[in-house]
């Protein structure tokens, strides 16, 4: 399965992506996590990305697309992946389409996580993430770790992201509305979008997401069959 996850900052993309990727046995590819790994390793890419991320702006397409493509070409992504945070504007979506087309594959679904703006702000203010590669996400009230400041999954240190300050969050939301939301229409035109509410317990959202993805994939298989039936018909 090839899935794109979209939703505003704080919608719970990272949290859901981790569960969904596990359920579906596909790698979770998060451009935000890849940038943060580069920042902690102090690479050139990390230094560049940080200057944009700290302002709540998008990292330039050229480096983002190259990084995402590079990750998608790894062997574990050969049969599918869950993209989280990419594409984030229409030109990235077009670049992704081209890359998939070159490989002769296509997306199965775009899962759109919907959440009201005041909830987003509450979620982000309490968000804590693991410093280790696992990048697990917790919330001080909504999903606290068993031990304060420590990741349940790997024992790593939990921290608050630099770009989770109130001012930067406001800018990130603005960027989401102006640059990222248009990709929902772009994918809707391809019949790929499934929208679910991201409110409620983490488990319930995961269940909702799995059901929505199943429905989308079944519907898509059916329409592919119909298409090939009518193509067969045209040949006669
Ligand atoms: P969130 O979804 O909560 O905003 P992410 O971890 O996905 O968080 O992204 C954090 C930041 O990383 C973004 O605000 C942006 O600066 C940068 N970033 C992540 N993905 C992309 C992308 N596809 N294109 C450009 N910048 C990106």
């Amino acid at each position: 399965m090839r899935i794109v996850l979209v939703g505003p900052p704080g919608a719970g993309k990272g949290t859901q992506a981790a569960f969904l990727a596990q359920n579906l046995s596909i790698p979770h590819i998060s451009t935000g996590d890849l940038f943060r790994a580069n920042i902690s390793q102090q690479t050139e890419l990390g230094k560049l990305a940080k200057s944009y991320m700290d302002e709540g702006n998008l990292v330039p397409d050229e480096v983002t697309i190259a990084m995402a493509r590079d990750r998608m070409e790894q062997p574990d992504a050969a049969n599918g992946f869950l993209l989280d945070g990419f594409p984030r504007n229409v030109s990235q979506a077009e670049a992704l389409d081209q890359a998939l087309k070159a490989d002769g594959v296509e997306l199965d679904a775009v899962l759109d996580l919907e959440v009201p703006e005041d909830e987003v702000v509450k979620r982000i203010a309490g968000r804590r993430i693991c410093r280790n590669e696992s990048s697990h996400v917790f919330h001080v009230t909504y999903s606290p770790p068993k031990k304060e400041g420590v990741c349940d999954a790997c024992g790593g240190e939990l921290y608050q992201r630099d770009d989770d300050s109130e001012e930067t969050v406001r800018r990130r939301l603005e960027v989401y509305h102006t640059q990222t939301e248009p990709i929902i229409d772009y994918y809707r035109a391809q019949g790929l979008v499934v929208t679910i509410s991201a409110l409620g317990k983490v488990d319930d959202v995961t269940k909702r997401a799995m059901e929505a993805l199943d429905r989308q994939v079944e519907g898509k298989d059916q329409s592919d069959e119909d298409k090939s039936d009518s193509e067969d018909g045209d040949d006669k």
Side-chain angles (χ1 to χ4, degrees):
M1 273 238 247
R2 291 177 180 83
I3 303 168
V4 167
L5 206 54
V6 279
K13 293 191 298 294
T15 305
Q16 291 304 326
F19 288 112
L20 292 173
Q22 203 178 16
N23 278 349
L24 299 165
S25 305
I26 48 177
H28 166 204
I29 300 181
S30 155
T31 40
D33 287 349
L34 292 171
F35 285 133
R36 281 184 288 276
N38 274 279
I39 292 173
S40 68
Q41 288 155 21
Q42 300 181 354
T43 66
E44 285 306 311
L45 173 62
K47 281 179 212 156
L48 175 86
K50 187 167 168 50
S51 64
Y52 291 92
M53 289 168 77
D54 283 353
E55 300 291 318
N57 290 319
L58 296 188
V59 180
D61 285 345
E62 207 183 80
V63 290
T64 305
I65 292 167
M67 181 184 74
R69 284 196 68 159
D70 193 53
R71 178 62 188 87
M72 281 186 275
E73 279 164 15
Q74 303 296 314
D76 65 338
N79 294 318
F81 46 69
L82 178 61
L83 290 178
D84 159 15
F86 182 87
R88 229 177 173 95
N89 60 27
V90 171
S91 58
Q92 292 181 10
E94 287 168 350
L96 174 63
D97 270 353
Q98 275 172 15
L100 294 174
K101 209 167 162 197
D103 288 343
V105 295
E106 47 187 37
L107 291 176
D108 295 291
V110 173
L111 183 66
D112 167 30
L113 296 183
E114 225 174 29
V115 58
E117 203 136 314
D118 54 347
E119 177 68 15
V120 158
V121 175
K122 274 192 249 162
R123 287 184 180 190
I124 292 184
R127 171 155 76 179
R128 300 291 180 272
I129 60 171
C130 178
R131 250 187 223 290
N132 286 347
E133 291 259 321
S134 76
S135 319
H136 278 89
V137 189
F138 298 86
H139 189 283
V140 289
T141 352
Y142 302 147
S143 60
K146 290 197 185 81
K147 187 167 171 228
E148 199 187 315
V150 180
C151 175
D152 289 349
C154 73
E157 180 201 357
L158 301 182
Y159 77 111
Q160 182 166 32
R161 280 167 41 175
D162 289 344
D163 62 345
D164 276 354
S165 70
E166 203 183 318
E167 200 190 331
T168 311
V169 168
R170 239 180 275 129
R171 172 67 191 149
R172 281 161 60 203
L173 277 168
E174 190 184 317
V175 168
Y176 179 75
H177 291 313
T178 55
Q179 302 194 45
T180 309
E181 263 178 355
I183 72 170
I184 299 176
D185 281 337
Y186 175 90
Y187 284 128
R188 195 167 280 132
Q190 300 183 18
L192 289 172
V193 177
V194 273
T195 301
I196 62 158
S197 162
L199 289 179
K201 286 199 206 121
V202 170
D203 290 357
D204 292 340
V205 179
T206 311
K207 199 161 156 253
R208 226 174 276 153
M210 287 299 294
E211 286 166 1
L213 287 173
D214 279 348
R215 275 198 304 276
Q216 166 67 18
V217 171
E218 272 167 29
K220 189 166 170 285
D221 286 349
Q222 188 57 46
S223 81
D224 285 349
E225 254 171 53
D226 293 348
K227 231 193 286 170
S228 83
D229 283 352
S230 76
E231 274 163 16
D232 290 349
D234 289 346
D235 287 347
K236 277 174 203 154

